[in-house]
Amino acid sequence: QVQLVESGGGVVQPGGSLRLSCAASGFTFSDYGMHWVRQAPGKGLEWVAFQRYDGSNKNYADSVKGRFTISRDNSKNTLYLQMNSLGAEDTAVYYCAKDRMATSATCLDYWGQGTLVTVSS
Amino acid sequence: EIVLTQSPDTLSLSPGERATLSCRASQSVSTYLAWYQQKPGQAPRLLIYDASNRATGIPARFSGSGSGTDFTLTISSLEPEDFAVYYCQQRYNWPPITFGQGTRLEIK
């Protein structure tokens, strides 16, 4: 069965950096696009970033563009999110999610359990 | 950016009743709309994609309809496990993909 397991969350000071990882199993990771989506405490869902199956294209929400970088290692079945210049507004549970398709964002058919990032001094 | 507005914010119903949730887009998204269910402390789960297609393993009591700017998620007869928050999501004009603000379905 499809499994997505995020790690790397924690408490970080404003202006700091953090790298999230998402280990994928139960499907051919290199065949699908992958997303990061976040959810601030008590709030709704906010899409963060998408990377197509082969890593050749990346897309970001305006709120994170220039600060966050999505990447993937298909040899390790792992998705990453490098987060720099973090602010309080980035405090959220971060989910990695699999897209139904390979090359373009469509819908997110499997989600990890999420990892909490708290930006606080 | 396409804005999705869900209504109502909260829907109070009893088990066995029919639930109708609405999602309206600020411009046409064709049928490129999905619905998700999220229970407290859990990740979202895909229910419906491309407006009317049930995702793998989703019970037949869940159905989706609509096109253009107006969409509906219908739960024909509510089960106790259906009480949750529901989100719609569009991918017609992306990036970004966008989500609605959510509808909370609570037990009356």
Side-chain angles (χ1 to χ4, degrees), chain A residues 53-87:
Chain A
Y53 74 108
D54 58 1
S56 62
N57 198 33
K58 308 175 185 184
N59 302 97
Y60 299 95
D62 286 346
S63 59
V64 306
K65 202 173 293 183
R67 300 188 298 124
F68 289 13
T69 302
I70 187 173
S71 62
R72 62 192 295 162
D73 185 336
N74 285 346
S75 69
K76 295 182 178 179
N77 293 341
T78 302
L79 181 73
Y80 303 100
L81 185 68
Q82 177 67 44
M83 305 186 295
N84 298 330
S85 302
L86 286 162

Side-chain angles (χ1 to χ4, degrees), chain A residues 35 37 39 43-47 50 57 59-62 95 100 103-114, chain B residues 1 32 34 36 38 41-46 48-50 55-56 87 89-91 94-101:
Chain A
H35 299 261
V37 175
Q39 187 170 37
K43 302 297 184 182
L45 301 170
E46 180 188 15
W47 173 77
F50 169 81
N57 198 33
N59 302 97
Y60 299 95
D62 286 346
Y95 295 101
R100 283 189 69 247
T103 59
S104 182
T106 60
C107 61
L108 291 69
D109 58 356
Y110 291 95
W111 298 61
Q113 84 289 351
Chain B
E1 174 177 320
Y32 296 150
Y36 300 84
Q38 187 179 32
Q42 296 186 17
R45 176 174 71 146
L46 177 67
I48 302 287
Y49 65 94
D50 291 348
T56 303
Y87 295 95
Q89 171 247 316
Q90 70 80 28
R91 54 103 168 179
W94 82 282
I97 66 171
T98 53
F99 293 90
Q101 84 280 11

Side-chain angles (χ1 to χ4, degrees), chain B residues 38-98:
Chain B
Q38 187 179 32
K39 298 179 181 179
Q42 296 186 17
R45 176 174 71 146
L46 177 67
L47 300 174
I48 302 287
Y49 65 94
D50 291 348
S52 60
N53 297 288
R54 269 190 305 276
T56 303
I58 301 304
R61 65 181 182 273
F62 291 91
S63 64
S65 63
S67 66
T69 60
D70 291 296
F71 299 86
T72 300
L73 174 69
T74 301
I75 311 172
S76 59
S77 178
L78 284 165
E79 297 288 340
E81 62 267 27
D82 298 337
F83 292 91
V85 179
Y86 291 83
Y87 295 95
C88 55
Q89 171 247 316
Q90 70 80 28
R91 54 103 168 179
Y92 178 76
N93 185 13
W94 82 282
I97 66 171
T98 53

